[in-house]
């Protein structure tokens, strides 16, 4: 928790960038973006990233942990399916 609170601006910045990446991945002209499952992975990545940025702003380490789990799971599941 002290590490999280000591790096809030970094957490927020990284989360915002990751949310943008998730949004870009779901754009129609991106590879696999016409696949509903792929779009769902991108949506979960985006949602988790937005939640993480909000957790940073509210300094909620519990919410940050939950958001990180969501982000991690979306990445692992997507990469398992699309490598």
């Amino acid at each position: 928790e002290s590490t999280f609170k000591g790096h809030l601006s970094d957490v927020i910045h990284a989360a915002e960038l990751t949310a943008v990446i998730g949004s870009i991945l779901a754009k129609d002209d991106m590879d696999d973006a016409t696949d509903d499952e792929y779009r769902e992975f991108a949506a979960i990545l985006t949602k988790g990233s937005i939640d993480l940025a909000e957790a940073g702003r509210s300094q909620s380490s519990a919410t940050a942990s939950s958001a990180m789990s969501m982000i991690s799971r979306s990445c692992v599941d997507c990469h398992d399916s699309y490598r």
Side-chain angles (χ1 to χ4, degrees):
E1 185 171 336
S2 64
T3 301
F4 168 71
K5 291 190 176 178
H7 295 91
L8 291 174
S9 63
D10 292 334
V11 168
I12 294 165
H13 181 74
E16 290 172 340
L17 290 175
T18 306
V20 170
I21 291 168
S23 296
I24 291 169
L25 290 172
K27 297 287 183 191
D28 289 336
D29 57 341
M30 296 299 290
D31 290 345
D32 299 313
T34 57
D35 184 308
D36 289 338
E37 181 183 41
Y38 181 88
R39 290 176 81 88
E40 182 63 21
F41 290 138
I44 293 168
L45 174 64
T46 302
K47 168 84 167 88
S49 300
I50 291 168
D51 290 353
L52 181 57
E54 286 301 315
R57 288 185 193 94
S58 66
Q59 300 185 22
S60 172
S61 59
T63 303
S65 179
S66 176
M68 281 302 303
S69 292
M70 183 185 297
I71 293 166
S72 178
R73 180 58 27 213
S74 71
C75 291
V76 168
D77 290 348
C78 184
H79 284 246
D80 283 349
S81 296
Y82 292 92
R83 275 196 195 191

